[in-house]
Amino acid sequence: MIEIRNLSKWYGQTRVLADCSTHVAKGEVVVVCGPSGSGKSTLIKCVNGLEPFARGSITVDGVSVGDPGTDLPRLRARVGMVFQHFELFPHMSVEQNLALAQIKVLGRSKDEAAARGVALLDRVGLREHARKFPGQLSGGQQQRVAIARALAMDPVCLLFDEPTSALDPEMIGEVLDVMVELARTGMTMMCVSHEMGFARKVAKRVVFMDHGEIVEDAPAAQFFEAPASERARTFLARILHH
Amino acid sequence: MNYHWNWGIFLEQVKGGDETYLDWLLTGLGWTLAVSLTAWVIALTLGICIGALRSMPSRLPVMLGNAWVELFRNIPLLVQMFLWFFVMPEFLPRDWSLWVKQDMPAKEFLTAALCLGLFTSARVAEQVRAGVGSLPRGQRDAALALGLTLPQTYRHVILPQALRIVIPPLTSEFMNVFKNSSVAFAIGVLELTFQARQMQEDSEQGIETFLAVTLLYFICAFAANRGMVLIEARTRVPGLIARTG
């Protein structure tokens, strides 16, 4: 589903991604972790073309992302993305947030879009908040709406960019529950996350990055029990014991 | 002060005509409103477009937008009026030039409205660009990630938020339009300042005249301000009051 080959990217002289290769098969969950500044968020933003890259290739569902001829809006409509800071549109109600792209991008009617929105709000447990504005919701609720907004496009895969790191600790669980439930339904997911409990529970593989490189790309159990590199061991020791 | 006050002057007839001085001032007020409102429509439309261009990710639209703003911002308004009125027609193709000079209807009014509109559009563009710049970058990413095109992203996500943020500075631009419209008298628009000067010379009651005109300008600018405050309240987003202040 997602195939990343020899990806490199520079900001001026600084190399932020160094020859990264990995993949996510259909129905798989892959968790990307690593210290801050390691290039995880940049990597995941390359997947739907929000960040351009200098070298290498990415294909998503057979479509080449870096190809200048690619219709990026059309590709992005099929790849859902959930952001660290939710990025709901604050001037629109929850139901409008869910309906906007369904109507403008997929060409659904208002009624269709609204019905799909309500069904998804129900799924993330927020049906009664449809008329509220993002500013009236808690962080956890906003992130669940953001997931519903991504799902409303019927994506072939979902990208998560640190979906829980801007949340208060007591709200992390409600968002992870939704993500676990999604994983169980067979959704293809690539998640930048430090939630190792989540990774253990649903991830097929864990990709560990440091200084723009993919240091390890291993089955989840193996990564947690016997990380191959010293850097991964140090990282795990640090985040598991805090 | 040895001045003969006469507040009844406004109801007296002008010399050699059957209108009153009040009629003159009200006609002037009408033209002031016409020039200002037309200019404001031009300024808002162009200002929003140019401001959006200046916040685009690629370089060419930014350069075009910047050139626009610098052009209209760095020349005095009065000089711009003269440029549009006396100089521009000379550079048109011959037939157009003749038409503009001889046959164009409401030439003074249209020139003044266009000039003031373009001048103000540069200032509106500056505010709009600042408003767009104050939004978190994630908003653009989120809209694009949903498959919206860049124009759709601006139309539905970026501009509705940016414009709400810049309503207070836009309010002063709107008030400025009314005040700046007085410059139009220099190219012969029969607006409030023009009429006031005419009344001053005709009636020799300059103090009453200019006090009345001051009050009329004040009312216009103040009404513009109240109108914008009303719009600000109407467009306020629930749960977002703290952010827009």
Side-chain angles (χ1 to χ4, degrees):
Chain A
M1 178 64 66
I2 302 173
E3 187 78 47
I4 301 173
R5 279 198 212 101
N6 309 108
L7 196 70
S8 292
K9 179 180 169 70
W10 285 263
Y11 283 132
Q13 297 290 308
T14 327
R15 190 167 64 171
V16 286
L17 291 176
D19 207 26
C20 296
S21 299
T22 187
H23 63 95
V24 185
K26 194 172 184 336
E28 256 181 19
V29 176
V30 170
V31 166
V32 182
C33 64
S36 69
S38 60
K40 333 173 275 284
S41 289
T42 309
L43 178 72
I44 206 164
K45 282 182 178 162
C46 286
V47 173
N48 63 353
L50 286 181
E51 286 281 356
F53 48 87
R55 243 184 249 163
S57 71
I58 302 178
T59 53
V60 178
D61 202 21
V63 180
S64 169
V65 179
D67 192 329
T70 297
D71 184 350
L72 272 182
R74 197 165 150 199
L75 172 71
R76 287 172 181 148
R78 303 170 62 225
V79 179
M81 188 159 199
V82 176
F83 296 83
Q84 181 176 6
H85 297 287
F86 332 131
E87 305 301 350
L88 294 178
F89 307 134
H91 59 299
M92 296 181 185
S93 68
V94 166
E95 54 187 357
Q96 289 170 326
N97 263 279
L98 291 172
L100 177 69
Q102 291 191 67
I103 295 168
K104 300 295 169 190
V105 178
L106 301 181
R108 287 181 184 156
S109 73
K110 275 189 179 173
D111 292 343
E112 260 180 295
R116 182 87 179 107
V118 170
L120 285 165
L121 281 180
D122 214 18
R123 186 165 165 191
V124 298
L126 293 169
R127 194 190 179 121
E128 66 278 20
H129 297 289
R131 292 280 159 83
K132 288 192 181 166
F133 285 78
Q136 298 169 314
L137 301 178
S138 73
Q141 290 171 327
Q142 289 191 54
Q143 195 60 301
R144 285 188 280 156
V145 172
I147 294 173
R149 181 175 69 177
L151 289 173
M153 303 296 285
D154 297 319
V156 293
C157 61
L158 282 180
L159 308 173
F160 291 83
D161 184 11
E162 307 208 32
T164 56
S165 51
L167 292 173
D168 290 335
E170 77 268 22
M171 293 171 185
I172 291 176
E174 63 190 74
V175 171
L176 288 179
D177 287 347
V178 171
M179 291 171 64
V180 168
E181 191 256 340
L182 272 176
R184 299 240 156 98
T185 60
M187 176 59 78
T188 309
M189 294 159 62
M190 186 169 174
C191 312
V192 172
S193 178
H194 288 163
E195 296 298 333
M196 291 302 128
F198 168 76
R200 261 182 221 276
K201 214 184 274 178
V202 298
K204 179 90 186 289
R205 294 195 339 277
V206 175
V207 170
F208 173 72
M209 292 183 73
D210 195 15
H211 296 301
E213 288 172 78
I214 293 184
V215 180
E216 272 187 61
D217 185 344
Q222 187 187 321
F223 177 75
F224 288 115
E225 276 145 40
S229 67
E230 184 56 41
R231 282 191 273 182
R233 274 196 290 278
T234 318
F235 173 75
L236 279 176
R238 214 177 284 148
I239 65 165
L240 293 177
H241 292 138
H242 83 130
Chain B
M1 186 163 75
N2 196 5
Y3 183 77
H4 172 67
W5 289 92
N6 177 11
W7 286 104
I9 185 73
F10 297 106
L11 297 177
E12 289 176 20
Q13 289 203 335
V14 304
K15 287 175 187 149
D18 50 7
E19 301 158 292
T20 61
Y21 287 112
L22 184 65
D23 289 335
W24 276 10
L25 291 190
L26 291 180
T27 312
L29 180 64
W31 282 110
T32 288
L33 291 175
V35 169
S36 305
L37 294 175
T38 312
W40 184 239
V41 171
I42 296 171
L44 261 192
T45 317
L46 284 174
I48 290 171
C49 295
I50 307 280
L53 274 187
R54 296 180 72 203
S55 67
M56 293 268 168
S58 38
R59 204 170 284 173
L60 185 67
V62 175
M63 278 168 53
L64 287 175
N66 288 349
W68 180 279
V69 169
E70 296 309 333
L71 178 66
F72 289 104
R73 203 165 60 161
N74 289 319
I75 305 170
L77 179 58
L78 184 59
V79 174
Q80 291 191 32
M81 281 285 173
F82 289 144
L83 282 175
W84 284 105
F85 196 72
F86 296 115
V87 181
M88 272 305 283
E90 302 299 333
F91 288 93
L92 292 172
R94 211 184 121 76
D95 293 352
W96 294 20
S97 178
L98 271 180
W99 179 79
V100 168
K101 285 186 211 159
Q102 294 171 4
D103 303 323
M104 187 173 158
K107 183 187 169 192
E108 294 81 7
F109 163 73
L110 289 174
T111 307
L114 180 74
C115 173
L116 183 56
L118 294 176
F119 174 80
T120 312
S121 79
R123 307 173 57 94
V124 171
E126 186 65 7
Q127 311 291 2
V128 170
R129 185 187 63 98
V132 173
S134 73
L135 297 176
R137 189 200 146 171
Q139 286 288 304
R140 182 189 306 236
D141 281 352
L144 292 174
L146 282 166
L148 295 172
T149 60
L150 195 60
Q152 285 177 323
T153 297
Y154 270 86
R155 161 74 183 77
H156 299 288
V157 176
I158 307 283
L159 287 176
Q161 296 185 58
L163 290 178
R164 281 179 172 86
I165 293 171
V166 299
I167 287 177
L170 283 187
T171 302
S172 30
E173 291 308 331
F174 191 29
M175 295 164 72
N176 280 340
V177 166
F178 285 100
K179 293 180 279 178
N180 287 339
S181 72
S182 61
V183 170
F185 95 91
I187 58 167
V189 178
L190 306 180
E191 49 70 67
L192 198 47
T193 304
F194 186 98
Q195 300 284 18
R197 286 169 55 94
Q198 188 171 274
M199 173 174 168
Q200 176 202 14
E201 282 168 21
D202 204 67
S203 70
E204 292 165 17
Q205 296 290 339
I207 297 186
E208 292 89 338
T209 304
F210 278 103
L211 286 177
V213 164
T214 304
L215 182 70
L216 289 175
Y217 273 118
F218 184 89
I219 291 171
C220 285
F222 193 73
N225 177 299
R226 293 292 97 185
M228 291 293 275
V229 169
L230 207 67
I231 289 174
E232 194 183 0
R234 276 284 187 83
T235 55
R236 187 163 283 165
V237 174
L240 208 70
I241 295 151
R243 204 163 125 186
T244 51

